Amino acid sequence: MTLRTELENWEVEEIRDIKGLEFSVALKFATENYRHRKDVYIFPLASETKENEIWQVGNNEFVIFNNPELCHILISDNGIQTLFRTPAIRPGSIFGNNGKKFFLFEDSSYTTHIYSVSDRDELLNLVREIIDPAANVSIEDAPHSLIILVELHGLSHRFPLDLLLENESNLECGLGADFIYKAQTRCREFKIAEYYEKCGGYYIGNSSVAVQGIFTENDGQYEFHPDDFFKNVAIGKLLAANNLVPGLPADACPFFRKGVDDEDYFIDLSNEVLIIEDKKNAKTCGLEMYGERCVGVMRTGENEFLALTEPPSSGRFVDSPTRLRRFVRNTAGKFLWDVDSYGLNSRAVVRPDRCQLDDDTIVFTTEQDYNVYSSFEMWSISKNRLAGPIDGFDAIKKATKEPYVSHTERQIMVKYRNHPQWKALPMIVVRIYAPREYCDIFALIDPRKKYRVYGKVYNMLADSMVEGPKTAHGLVKMFENNRGLKLKYSL
């Protein structure tokens, strides 16, 4: 590896003979972040040539010659973005001043080309200014030309770079009036939805009534879907009647912002690709993170690990939801993400600062967000498996004779209202209902006490709290009585 310019605020290291990935050579870029910790980014190289040349052309920009390829990359909180990539057999040097940087190189036919580092970035900024500053504008490879990709809020479009350069004096013409109108309309819709979300309510159509819910993008339109009664109404009534409030675990994840360094392995936190040093066998292995970055690793077995990963653009706040994942080393020596359907769910997320129930148990959810209203599951670090999962309540199934009776459950975390400083406790809220019928009862189940019914039960038919039965069998019997009343006194 040869550095053609002095590095400012960056360290670059060449890593070779990486096992388990589609590439065996990579560059490791490291810099100190605002937390005075090291951010690490891994950039795969296309060939195993012995001589790689690197130029730093901006605060976070590098040009890399990896024969027979020339790349221009940008490193940011969004990871590594390839701005320019082209075949090249002989790199030249950077020249220019006043911020205008040009790069000279030759292709396989020995034709000399000049690549403008700064002008290309200016073009991308002009595209953002026309559409919206929030638009993600990037350059990607195509078989015969370079393509500008514009992405925003579920909308994307590709433009040949040559077409935009031909219309650089009138970029609106190159982008097309229809696309600009559609993109700007989409941005306005998204900003309105985001505004009402922050306000805690939404106005639908011409209605002046604020309601709770979420906006969902569907085929270019934003649709409103109200929150279900079970999650947002019944649970709140149950907790209030039983002198409980929603809560979260008090402790942080024990391996957040920590790597692994023991007698067998060294794993440093990084972006894009996890580099794993096998000390005993003197091998360097890799694990793809598919655009995410690792913010925590813990060894849980001989060849088993837990990891926290997140999209590169997040993570500025300690309470941001982060993916909880498990990876293992197989008998062939390759590291893989564990996707066993009986293991840790691939959609598991945690909040690193509030997810540790006790020394061994991590609380996670498979919902998009992680908050006091989520439905939780628990993972045992020492046992490497789910801890106390919802069993489906066999007692309810056995006590249910008729096929129209169903049930659903949510595992939640609660605290006693008068003692908010107490540690959160797991509870299971169960709903027994008849599909398509307005006939439900809701109850809290205490998993610590052999799944006994906790406190009062909510009777939806009477819209009131009642002193409930103590067993799941009693819940089903109570439901049957309610259904009999409904048939006798129709609503």
Side-chain angles (χ1 to χ4, degrees):
M1 180 182 75
T2 302
L3 294 174
R4 295 300 186 185
T5 58
E6 291 186 5
L7 297 180
E8 296 183 12
N9 304 319
W10 285 93
E11 300 171 12
V12 182
E13 177 186 345
E14 198 174 68
I15 306 175
R16 291 186 175 270
D17 300 320
I18 304 172
K19 310 298 181 185
L21 296 173
E22 294 181 359
F23 54 89
S24 60
V25 183
L27 293 177
K28 176 182 176 181
F29 293 85
T31 186
E32 189 177 274
N33 62 28
Y34 66 96
R35 300 191 190 101
H36 303 293
R37 298 186 180 93
K38 187 175 288 187
D39 275 338
V40 176
Y41 301 83
I42 306 298
F43 180 69
L45 296 177
S47 69
E48 298 183 16
T49 180
K50 293 184 179 180
E51 187 61 32
N52 294 298
E53 301 180 44
I54 302 170
W55 293 258
Q56 185 171 3
V57 295
N59 292 335
N60 301 314
E61 293 182 59
F62 299 87
V63 170
I64 301 163
F65 176 65
N66 171 242
N67 193 12
E69 189 174 71
L70 187 75
C71 297
H72 176 200
I73 65 171
L74 170 67
I75 304 177
S76 68
D77 285 343
N78 292 315
I80 295 181
Q81 181 183 1
T82 302
L83 302 178
F84 176 71
R85 173 178 273 147
T86 188
I89 63 167
R90 185 179 301 168
S93 59
I94 287 181
F95 65 93
N97 50 30
N98 297 325
K100 297 287 186 181
K101 297 177 182 177
F102 302 92
F103 199 87
L104 214 62
F105 67 94
E106 292 183 359
D107 62 18
S108 57
S109 62
Y110 299 99
T111 302
T112 301
H113 300 268
I114 297 177
Y115 167 67
S116 171
V117 172
S118 57
D119 289 350
R120 180 178 300 274
D121 194 49
E122 289 174 9
L123 180 63
L124 299 185
N125 288 331
L126 287 173
V127 173
R128 291 188 191 95
E129 289 176 7
I130 292 171
I131 298 172
D132 190 274
N136 180 26
V137 184
S138 59
I139 296 177
E140 61 180 24
D141 293 315
H144 302 293
S145 66
L146 293 172
I147 299 294
I148 284 190
L149 172 63
V150 181
E151 299 175 295
L152 69 165
H153 310 314
L155 182 69
S156 65
H157 201 80
R158 288 171 170 82
F159 302 91
L161 182 60
D162 296 343
L163 177 64
L164 289 187
L165 291 175
E166 289 175 5
N167 294 278
E168 191 165 357
S169 59
N170 186 8
L171 281 178
E172 287 89 345
C173 179
L175 293 170
D178 290 343
F179 174 77
I180 293 174
Y181 174 77
K182 188 175 182 180
Q184 291 176 343
T185 301
R186 175 66 58 83
C187 286
R188 284 194 297 270
E189 289 176 346
F190 187 84
K191 288 175 181 176
I192 290 171
E194 189 178 48
Y195 169 78
Y196 284 124
E197 183 176 1
K198 290 178 180 178
C199 291
Y202 305 92
Y203 292 90
I204 309 305
N206 296 322
S207 171
S208 61
V209 180
V211 293
Q212 292 183 340
I214 59 173
F215 277 102
T216 303
E217 193 275 334
N218 181 25
D219 194 24
Q221 300 295 322
Y222 284 91
E223 297 178 351
F224 171 75
H225 299 277
D227 295 330
D228 63 84
F229 184 88
F230 180 33
K231 179 180 178 181
N232 295 289
V233 179
I235 292 178
K237 290 187 176 184
L238 273 176
L239 295 182
N242 289 291
N243 201 31
L244 299 170
V245 293
L248 289 176
D251 298 327
C253 183
F255 55 94
F256 182 47
R257 292 178 179 161
K258 295 179 181 178
V260 172
D261 190 3
D262 56 27
E263 66 278 8
D264 298 321
Y265 293 104
F266 174 76
I267 307 175
D268 200 4
L269 307 183
S270 63
N271 293 255
E272 313 283 347
V273 177
L274 206 57
I275 299 297
I276 303 165
E277 300 288 344
D278 180 350
K279 296 181 180 179
K280 283 190 173 181
N281 299 302
K283 290 183 178 179
T284 301
C285 304
L287 180 65
E288 283 273 14
M289 288 187 288
Y290 306 106
E292 295 197 339
R293 66 179 169 195
C294 182
V295 293
V297 186
M298 181 182 195
R299 187 178 178 187
T300 58
E302 184 178 358
N303 294 304
E304 300 166 337
F305 302 83
L306 286 177
L308 299 174
T309 68
E310 64 184 10
S313 58
S314 65
R316 290 199 173 274
F317 304 98
V318 71
D319 59 353
S320 300
T322 301
R323 289 181 71 185
L324 176 65
R325 308 169 74 179
R326 182 173 181 260
F327 66 93
V328 298
R329 189 174 196 171
N330 64 14
T331 54
K334 186 176 182 179
F335 287 90
L336 303 167
W337 293 111
D338 182 24
V339 292
D340 186 348
S341 58
Y342 297 99
L344 184 62
N345 193 296
S346 60
R347 295 182 292 111
V349 296
V350 300
R351 234 181 66 178
D353 65 325
R354 301 287 297 276
C355 68
Q356 199 73 14
L357 189 63
D358 53 43
D359 292 341
D360 184 57
T361 308
I362 300 178
V363 174
F364 69 91
T365 180
T366 57
E367 299 176 4
Q368 291 185 352
D369 199 1
Y370 181 106
N371 56 56
V372 294
Y373 301 104
S374 299
S375 180
F376 295 106
E377 297 180 56
M378 294 183 287
W379 182 265
S380 170
I381 296 174
S382 62
K383 296 177 181 177
N384 254 334
R385 61 175 174 81
L386 291 173
I390 297 174
D391 301 323
F393 298 104
D394 289 337
I396 290 180
K397 295 177 181 178
K398 292 176 182 177
T400 301
K401 297 178 181 179
E402 300 189 45
Y404 52 76
V405 178
S406 303
H407 66 90
T408 57
E409 306 90 25
R410 292 177 65 86
Q411 185 163 279
I412 61 176
M413 305 299 297
V414 300
K415 293 183 178 182
Y416 291 104
R417 183 183 297 275
N418 298 330
H419 302 282
Q421 73 276 14
W422 282 18
K423 288 189 175 181
L425 306 170
M427 282 281 181
I428 297 172
V429 57
V430 59
R431 175 193 184 196
I432 304 177
Y433 65 102
R436 298 182 300 276
E437 293 186 38
Y438 194 76
C439 186
D440 305 67
I441 62 169
F442 303 84
L444 286 173
I445 305 290
D446 192 341
R448 301 166 302 156
K449 297 181 179 179
K450 298 182 179 179
Y451 293 93
R452 301 283 287 180
V453 176
Y454 182 93
K456 295 183 179 181
V457 175
Y458 176 56
N459 182 341
M460 189 173 181
L461 187 67
D463 192 23
S464 64
M465 292 291 170
V466 296
E467 294 296 334
K470 298 301 179 185
T471 64
H473 180 87
L475 282 177
V476 174
K477 185 176 180 182
M478 177 181 176
F479 170 82
E480 294 291 352
N481 292 338
N482 284 347
R483 189 170 187 277
L485 286 173
K486 178 186 175 184
L487 295 175
K488 186 175 180 180
Y489 305 102
S490 60
L491 298 176

